[in-house]
Amino acid sequence: MWLKFNSSPTVTAVKDTHLALYSLPFPAVNVCPMDKIKRLVAHKYVADRINVSYQESELDNFLNALTLFQHPLYNRMLYYINNGIGGFFTKLTTINITDFMLQVMPTCNEVFNACFWIGHSYNCCDLFSLQRSEEGFCYSFNSLTSVKKSACPMFSTLETDTDTAYTNSTNWECVLRRNTAAGSTSGLQIFFKKFAKSERLINASIITGQPAVRVQVFYVNEYPESGMGSIVTAKKGTKLSIMVKPFVTISTDRIKHLPVVERFCYFPDEQHLSVSRSYTQKSCLIECRLNYLHRKCDCRPYYFNMLDNRIPICNSTQLLCIAQHNSELRFYSPPIGNIRGFLLTEMKSPLNCSQCLPTCHESVFDLDVDYSLDSLPLTRSSYGSVDIFYRNEGAVKYERDVTFGWIDLLVSFGGIAGLFLGFSLLTIIELVYWGIKFLIYQYNKPSSSTNKITPKY
């Protein structure tokens, strides 16, 4: 009993298998165009800002490298960097890459054809806003890490959010969208446009393949995970269905009273991050990788330019440094100790993110993905579509609590003693009581000399 109390201080159990969908926010959705740069716009941008002669092929190498500037495959930039690093890239150091990528990326109206939320038509640019990620600039729905919602309070726990009352003073930009229904077309529907062929890079078919977008489903407090998600190719009549099953884990207040080394997780308000105002493990890992790049290359990738102004944004000549350290960003050094299964070189990995513990409150999504052809007229006139909806009418809620409190442990010991020894905790108290009473009696007992009768003569 004591070993269980000491070695397994927490336990996670199913609390509710049919949690109401409206009690949690609809998942955030990120849409990343695979073609991140409009070539003609990029050429004009550079021509207006540098007064040196160059060949178009040199600038195209730079654009190809920037398109591949995304975690975890920075090393793919090497081929194009090595073709231009000798001379032309040094001429572009005055170009602010953050501003450049914002100006040359496909606009919202160029990406989306139509959008529907819970069956109602919306302007896509009202639903989606600019999203930072390690894949570059994208467009997201219902994300608190998006640029538009960056000043909004973070979603903390399931209970406190559902109890919030909306008033006239509520900032509706910060209100997370929710849903009550499940099934096809009951959630978010997105219809896409095709990226203009004239704006594609020279080697676009090699770098990104055919025109497409990447669709990612993630938790509202987190950043989308680069390299993950489903690809929607620009083909008329194609439909991607994403069925979502939410799983929510809530930790009790008793968990928060445990030391971090015992519960092995952080609550959202326990750690401060520069990339996010609410702690999550994924955000912590992003910050860990960014700090590593800062130490190695003395700069920060363009898509997280809103952080510490003292750290410069990586310019054209620093892309090589990032590409060369790519392999070090894919693997974290394991915890110190005798752990099997790791080579000595792996144990000495320079990227240490051991401080990034899991989140005590956690929401994850089980996704089922299905590609199909759709006869809907809007689908046939659009270059790919996505239908994201809940699979069932309820979510699964888990609760993490302490295995044994001190009172539980005391009761357990008392029960075992009563079963195997024939006495209970009350018996022990009675023994102590009578023992103390006996000692008091012995202490106050009159001596025999005081009771002796003296004869009279």
Side-chain angles (χ1 to χ4, degrees):
M1 189 71 66
W2 171 256
L3 291 177
K4 186 176 181 180
F5 171 78
N6 195 42
S7 61
S8 302
T10 66
V11 61
T12 302
V14 176
K15 188 71 173 178
D16 191 350
T17 59
H18 205 77
L19 180 69
L21 294 175
Y22 58 79
S23 63
L24 62 154
F26 194 80
V29 178
N30 192 49
V31 174
C32 270
M34 303 300 287
D35 292 284
K36 300 185 180 302
I37 296 176
K38 295 184 288 186
R39 182 175 180 269
L40 298 181
V41 177
H43 275 264
K44 184 178 185 305
Y45 182 99
V46 174
D48 291 342
R49 285 165 177 78
I50 63 172
N51 297 319
V52 295
S53 60
Y54 59 88
Q55 297 180 1
E56 284 193 357
S57 59
E58 292 178 315
L59 180 54
D60 286 331
N61 274 334
F62 177 62
L63 301 182
N64 291 334
L66 285 184
T67 300
L68 298 173
F69 189 5
Q70 50 188 277
H71 176 77
L73 299 172
Y74 294 122
N75 63 308
R76 295 187 300 176
M77 297 189 293
L78 281 174
Y79 174 79
Y80 300 101
I81 292 175
N82 290 332
N83 287 340
I85 196 66
F88 179 67
F89 275 32
T90 59
K91 302 175 183 178
L92 299 175
T93 53
T94 58
I95 296 291
N96 184 315
I97 295 183
T98 300
D99 181 69
F100 175 78
M101 294 300 289
L102 287 172
Q103 296 297 323
V104 303
M105 70 179 293
T107 65
C108 176
N109 288 321
E110 292 171 334
V111 174
F112 301 101
N113 185 30
C115 294
F116 292 84
W117 167 245
I118 56 176
H120 300 286
S121 176
Y122 282 85
N123 184 333
C124 295
C125 298
D126 291 336
L127 292 180
F128 286 83
S129 61
L130 189 68
Q131 174 72 52
R132 304 175 191 273
S133 75
E134 289 183 293
E135 192 168 335
F137 290 126
C138 306
Y139 296 99
S140 68
F141 164 84
N142 216 36
S143 170
L144 289 176
T145 58
S146 66
V147 174
K148 182 185 289 187
K149 295 181 183 291
S150 59
C152 296
M154 286 293 170
F155 177 77
S156 54
T157 64
L158 191 66
E159 287 77 16
T160 57
D161 187 77
T162 54
D163 293 338
T164 301
Y166 299 134
T167 64
N168 292 332
S169 61
T170 299
N171 183 0
W172 290 99
E173 283 288 347
C174 298
V175 175
L176 295 172
R177 295 181 181 270
R178 300 168 186 262
N179 198 352
T180 59
S184 180
T185 71
S186 65
L188 179 66
Q189 292 177 274
I190 316 168
F191 300 84
F192 300 105
K193 294 179 180 178
K194 186 177 181 180
F195 190 81
K197 186 176 181 180
S198 60
E199 289 286 7
R200 298 202 79 196
L201 301 182
I202 297 298
N203 294 323
S205 58
I206 300 175
I207 298 173
T208 61
Q210 57 184 317
V213 296
R214 187 191 303 275
V215 179
Q216 301 163 298
V217 177
F218 60 104
Y219 182 52
V220 295
N221 266 6
E222 296 178 335
Y223 285 92
E225 192 168 356
S226 179
M228 304 296 287
S230 303
I231 302 297
V232 181
T233 55
K235 292 183 179 180
K236 288 187 174 182
T238 58
K239 175 184 176 182
L240 169 65
S241 298
I242 302 179
M243 294 155 278
V244 181
K245 177 69 174 179
F247 294 85
V248 182
T249 300
I250 300 296
S251 295
T252 64
D253 290 337
R254 296 204 301 173
I255 291 287
K256 198 167 189 177
H257 294 147
L258 291 176
V260 175
V261 293
E262 292 186 14
R263 54 178 152 102
F264 202 69
C265 67
Y266 285 125
F267 283 82
D269 58 347
E270 286 188 317
Q271 291 293 310
H272 173 74
L273 300 175
S274 60
V275 298
S276 175
R277 288 178 291 106
S278 177
Y279 176 86
T280 66
Q281 187 177 36
K282 289 182 179 179
S283 297
C284 182
L285 292 174
I286 289 176
E287 184 163 307
C288 182
R289 290 190 290 266
L290 292 176
N291 291 337
Y292 184 79
L293 287 177
H294 174 220
R295 292 195 301 271
K296 293 296 182 179
C297 304
D298 197 29
C299 66
R300 183 161 284 169
Y302 72 88
Y303 35 76
F304 281 108
N305 65 309
M306 79 295 188
L307 304 180
D308 193 343
N309 292 329
R310 294 171 295 180
I311 303 176
I313 300 302
C314 298
N315 61 34
S316 56
T317 59
Q318 292 169 313
L319 298 182
L320 177 62
C321 175
I322 293 179
Q324 290 173 335
H325 288 92
N326 174 73
S327 60
E328 300 161 16
L329 297 172
R330 300 187 191 181
F331 182 78
Y332 313 111
S333 58
I336 299 174
N338 186 19
I339 301 178
R340 296 181 179 180
F342 293 102
L343 300 177
L344 183 60
T345 54
E346 295 170 341
M347 294 291 291
K348 296 180 179 179
S349 174
L351 184 59
N352 183 3
C353 299
S354 57
Q355 76 279 9
C356 296
L357 301 181
T359 315
C360 295
H361 296 316
E362 188 176 29
S363 293
V364 296
F365 304 109
D366 182 21
L367 306 179
D368 284 339
V369 178
D370 178 61
Y371 289 91
S372 61
L373 296 177
D374 193 351
S375 59
L376 185 71
L378 184 55
T379 306
R380 287 185 294 176
S381 63
S382 301
Y383 288 87
S385 65
V386 180
D387 184 12
I388 305 170
F389 54 90
Y390 286 126
R391 187 194 313 165
N392 306 111
E393 278 75 11
V396 178
K397 178 183 177 181
Y398 294 93
E399 184 177 82
R400 185 185 291 118
D401 201 354
V402 295
T403 308
F404 286 103
W406 283 105
I407 296 179
D408 300 324
L409 187 66
L410 196 61
V411 170
S412 298
F413 277 130
I416 293 174
L419 179 63
F420 293 100
L421 302 179
F423 64 89
S424 64
L425 183 62
L426 184 60
T427 306
I428 297 175
I429 295 175
E430 288 179 343
L431 289 174
V432 172
Y433 169 77
W434 287 110
I436 294 174
K437 194 167 184 179
F438 176 76
L439 292 175
I440 294 175
Y441 171 77
Q442 289 294 327
Y443 180 78
N444 295 326
K445 180 180 178 181
S447 61
S448 57
S449 59
T450 58
N451 296 331
K452 186 176 181 180
I453 300 175
T454 305
K456 295 182 179 180
Y457 296 98

